Amino acid sequence: MDMNEILEIIEQDPKIDPAEIARLTGYPETEVRSRIKELEDSGIIRKYKAVIDWDKVGEEYLYAIIELKISLGDRSGYDVIARRIANFTEVRSVRLISGDHDLSLTVRGHSMKDVAFFVAEKIATLDQVQSTVTHFVLKTYKEDGVTLFEKDKSKRLAITP
Amino acid sequence: MNQTRKFVSDRVRVVPPSGIRKFFDMVIGMDDVISLGVGEPDFVTPWHIREACIYSLEKGFTSYTSNAGLLELREAVSNSFQRDYGVNYDPVDQILVTTGVSEAADLALRAVVNPGDEVIVHEPSYVSYKPCIVFSGGNPVTVSTTRENEFRLTGAQLEDAITPKTKAIILSYPNNPTGAVMGRKDFEEVADVAVEHDLLVISDEVYDKLTYNGKHTCFSSLNGMDERTILLNGLSKSHAMTGLRIGYAMGPPDIIKAMLLIHQYTMLCAPITSQIGAIEALNKGDSEMQAMVREYNRRRKLFVTGLNELGLDCFEPRGAFYAFPSVQSTGMTSSQFAEELLNQQKVAVVPGDVFGESGAGFLRCSYASGLDELKTALERIETFLG
């Protein structure tokens, strides 16, 4: 059984039923179910997630990308500070990056003030954080590999050779 | 109107319009139709290929190219066949870039057929071959393939159809409309007959990349076949580029030269924008192509299983993106079934006999549609069958 094939299907459609996966792949349904369970138990499948266009809902979420310069202590590496920052619920992603900065965060709040206070009070005050640069997100066009544009209608003819 | 009809040549007048046209006219104007009658990918050309086309226009590439096509494209074609099948075609004099594979097939026939020559076509097959043989002045000779043999052409069938006038055979595997494939052994049978009777083989392999459960055999990779094969292929199906119209023909230099002669006086050259997109597709388009093939494969399994569960007997198609179920168990003809299904449940399929008499009793259903559409189509067919 090709594990990647199952993962690819689930990544495209997390709501899909194992019976449906069995039909798409030709594998027995019981095997598909047990393989999915293994993938969940081993942490390969971390979570089933939806990509929501919150702008369309009218929800006033504000996102910001925060770049941090880190000074490492004697006994702590990037993993320690990253883990600490990742615990804040406002923080949606934490990445170690190359270039002028060390960590890149995505932070979500309800207003500019929300995000600014969070960064100033919770992040900038951490001992290892040397400096922060905040970029507010004005519009999201693509999220997690999903474009948030309106779908084009099919332009194919109804019958072709 | 009748006054002017007399001017139309006899050669054209004898060819009926494609049977597909009738269904196209029926579907036009109907709302909420799920069409399984589409012979093209439902994917849009991958973005990096479109981007290469856009960029070429921005840079001002809007001129003619060499009649044979951009050398860089012919080199990319040559490299891909060397890599995929171990066959060697010289990009300088053995490859001709055409406006779709349809043009390549037409050129191949016009370059080799003399008036009265017979060309053998297996059926069911793509609707253009027989008319193109007639347009070239030849006579098509049909060999019917059967469901029992999974619509493969056998050497014995071919042998039976050969007469002193036989000049060439058109092979088309993976096959439109059946989804049938021919393996190496099957092809070797045909090759033996071709050698024995000194025949040319025109092998249309435009669906080669859409092969499931095993690798496609390139006909000209068989021993000695490169000397008597015109290999046709293109990017329409593999890279979802139907509207960009890029095909190509490969073969012995003398034959390619003859095809080039007709091409340079008619089409002149394929559009440069599309040729530049094709270079990008061949050099950097493998991962997108493979992702599309994986998706077709899933749809194939779901759809063919679904048809069989509904009692519409369907052998396992191993190539292209068509299922070819039988409707004989319903007591209806292909056309009756297709017309009633369209009128009652708004699902458009193509009657099998459009692709030749041996397709009678079957339907061509394209599974190049989204999974949700395919599932809805199966539900509607179930309702239709009661």
Side-chain angles (χ1 to χ4, degrees):
Chain A
M1 187 180 280
D2 184 352
M3 193 171 72
N4 287 0
E5 193 180 1
I6 293 178
L7 288 171
E8 198 178 279
I9 293 170
I10 292 174
E11 192 180 33
Q12 276 176 28
D13 180 9
K15 280 173 66 186
I16 195 165
D17 188 68
E20 182 89 13
I21 296 176
R23 286 170 76 89
L24 293 175
T25 57
Y27 302 138
E29 189 184 329
T30 47
E31 272 189 46
V32 171
R33 283 183 190 280
S34 69
R35 187 50 64 100
I36 290 174
K37 178 83 171 47
E38 281 171 28
L39 291 166
E40 289 168 349
D41 291 346
S42 64
I44 290 175
I45 295 178
R46 291 277 174 175
K47 191 178 171 72
Y48 296 93
K49 195 167 179 283
V51 177
I52 313 274
D53 187 345
W54 285 110
D55 284 351
K56 226 173 178 178
V57 180
E59 189 64 39
E60 292 291 318
Y61 278 129
L62 183 84
Y63 288 84
I65 295 159
I66 322 289
E67 291 168 338
L68 308 181
K69 267 195 178 170
I70 302 294
S71 66
L72 295 177
D74 292 344
R75 286 182 296 171
S76 63
Y78 289 117
D79 291 358
V80 173
I81 182 73
R83 186 181 282 251
R84 197 167 163 192
I85 290 172
N87 282 327
F88 291 107
T89 51
E90 292 89 341
V91 176
R92 311 292 296 178
S93 70
V94 183
R95 294 185 175 89
L96 182 65
I97 56 173
S98 64
D100 291 341
H101 294 85
D102 302 306
L103 291 181
S104 169
L105 321 179
T106 305
V107 170
R108 186 169 82 173
H110 280 289
S111 66
M112 217 178 254
K113 208 170 166 186
D114 240 11
V115 173
F117 273 116
F118 171 74
V119 174
E121 290 176 4
K122 304 289 185 190
I123 304 294
T125 53
L126 294 168
D127 286 348
Q128 298 97 323
V129 174
Q130 273 187 334
S131 66
T132 68
V133 176
T134 302
H135 307 273
F136 286 104
V137 174
L138 303 180
K139 189 166 181 179
T140 302
Y141 297 101
K142 190 174 183 181
E143 184 70 40
D144 271 350
V146 179
T147 52
L148 304 182
F149 301 106
E150 292 306 315
K151 277 187 181 163
D152 290 334
K153 279 196 171 173
S154 170
K155 295 177 182 68
R156 291 196 298 175
L157 299 172
I159 303 274
T160 67
Chain B
M1 282 295 268
N2 289 338
Q3 283 293 330
T4 52
R5 184 170 160 73
K6 68 185 177 196
F7 296 121
V8 176
S9 77
D10 294 343
R11 191 179 280 183
V12 174
R13 216 185 305 196
V14 295
V15 174
S18 161
I20 289 177
R21 187 75 219 172
K22 182 183 164 192
F23 272 82
F24 181 76
D25 292 341
M26 284 175 70
V27 173
I28 289 292
M30 285 178 89
D31 292 329
D32 190 31
V33 171
I34 294 183
S35 182
L36 307 180
V38 183
E40 65 177 328
D42 62 321
F43 298 102
V44 181
T45 310
W47 172 250
H48 69 106
I49 300 170
R50 283 185 275 159
E51 202 272 343
C53 295
I54 294 165
Y55 186 64
S56 77
L57 287 168
E58 282 178 355
K59 296 277 281 180
F61 288 103
T62 57
S63 60
Y64 291 130
T65 70
S66 135
N67 296 128
L70 291 167
L71 182 60
E72 193 184 350
L73 173 53
R74 286 178 277 146
E75 284 169 347
V77 170
S78 175
N79 291 339
S80 73
F81 274 78
Q82 169 60 41
R83 184 189 62 219
D84 294 344
Y85 303 116
V87 293
N88 291 304
Y89 284 103
D90 188 334
V92 173
D93 60 1
Q94 288 194 282
I95 300 178
L96 168 64
V97 176
T98 57
T99 309
V101 184
S102 303
E103 193 215 347
D106 180 43
L107 292 177
L109 288 162
R110 283 202 279 161
V112 303
V113 171
N114 288 316
D117 281 348
E118 290 178 354
V119 178
I120 295 173
V121 185
H122 57 88
E123 284 190 340
S125 70
Y126 182 53
V127 293
S128 293
Y129 300 137
K130 279 167 53 176
C132 283
I133 295 166
V134 174
F135 295 150
S136 71
N139 294 321
V141 173
T142 302
V143 175
S144 294
T145 59
T146 62
R147 158 72 175 92
E148 290 66 38
N149 197 33
E150 298 194 340
F151 296 104
R152 289 171 302 179
L153 176 68
T154 67
Q157 282 180 304
L158 185 57
E159 189 106 44
D160 286 347
I162 291 171
T163 74
K165 291 180 179 173
T166 306
K167 180 78 170 274
I169 313 155
I170 296 183
L171 269 185
S172 175
Y173 291 94
N175 181 256
N176 172 11
T178 61
V181 300
M182 298 249 294
R184 177 165 286 271
K185 276 192 174 170
D186 300 322
F187 271 161
E188 276 169 353
E189 267 190 36
V190 172
D192 288 346
V193 177
V195 170
E196 193 184 333
H197 294 272
D198 194 20
L199 302 178
L200 179 75
V201 177
I202 299 169
S203 186
D204 177 353
E205 300 179 20
V206 70
Y207 289 101
D208 66 334
K209 295 290 184 285
L210 307 186
T211 301
Y212 319 100
N213 300 354
K215 199 170 183 272
H216 171 74
T217 299
C218 175
F219 190 80
S220 65
S221 69
L222 303 182
N223 199 15
M225 280 304 104
D226 55 343
E227 292 171 9
R228 60 177 68 250
T229 302
I230 307 177
L231 192 60
L232 310 181
N233 210 318
L235 293 141
S236 294
K237 316 292 182 177
S238 57
H239 292 79
M241 289 170 62
T242 47
L244 277 78
R245 312 302 307 128
I246 292 294
Y248 45 88
M250 299 184 288
D254 287 345
I255 296 178
I256 293 298
K257 192 174 169 188
M259 290 171 67
L260 175 62
L261 188 77
I262 306 169
H263 177 73
Q264 76 183 27
Y265 287 125
T266 52
M267 195 59 73
L268 212 151
C269 68
I272 186 170
T273 312
S274 302
Q275 290 193 54
I276 290 171
I279 293 168
E280 173 74 17
L282 284 165
N283 289 341
K284 296 175 186 166
D286 267 13
S287 64
E288 281 87 351
M289 178 188 73
Q290 282 157 10
M292 288 190 274
V293 173
R294 285 199 297 275
E295 184 63 28
Y296 289 135
N297 195 16
R298 284 177 204 138
R299 297 170 181 183
R300 178 182 74 105
K301 287 174 183 165
L302 176 117
F303 192 64
V304 173
T305 306
L307 288 172
N308 279 313
E309 283 172 358
L310 294 178
L312 297 180
D313 169 57
C314 186
F315 81 106
E316 187 193 358
R318 296 197 173 95
F321 39 57
Y322 307 105
F324 205 62
S326 165
V327 294
Q328 284 155 16
S329 61
T330 66
M332 284 184 260
T333 65
S334 308
S335 294
Q336 284 168 344
F337 190 104
E339 281 181 36
E340 286 302 311
L341 179 64
L342 180 63
N343 289 329
Q344 290 182 30
Q345 291 296 325
K346 295 187 173 178
V347 176
V349 296
V350 183
D353 52 5
V354 160
F355 305 95
E357 278 176 25
S358 51
F362 295 87
L363 302 174
R364 189 191 76 171
C365 306
S366 161
Y367 52 82
S369 288
L371 279 171
D372 289 342
E373 274 196 314
L374 292 174
K375 283 183 231 167
T376 309
L378 285 169
E379 284 165 14
R380 291 187 186 185
I381 294 170
E382 186 175 19
T383 308
F384 173 69
L385 291 169

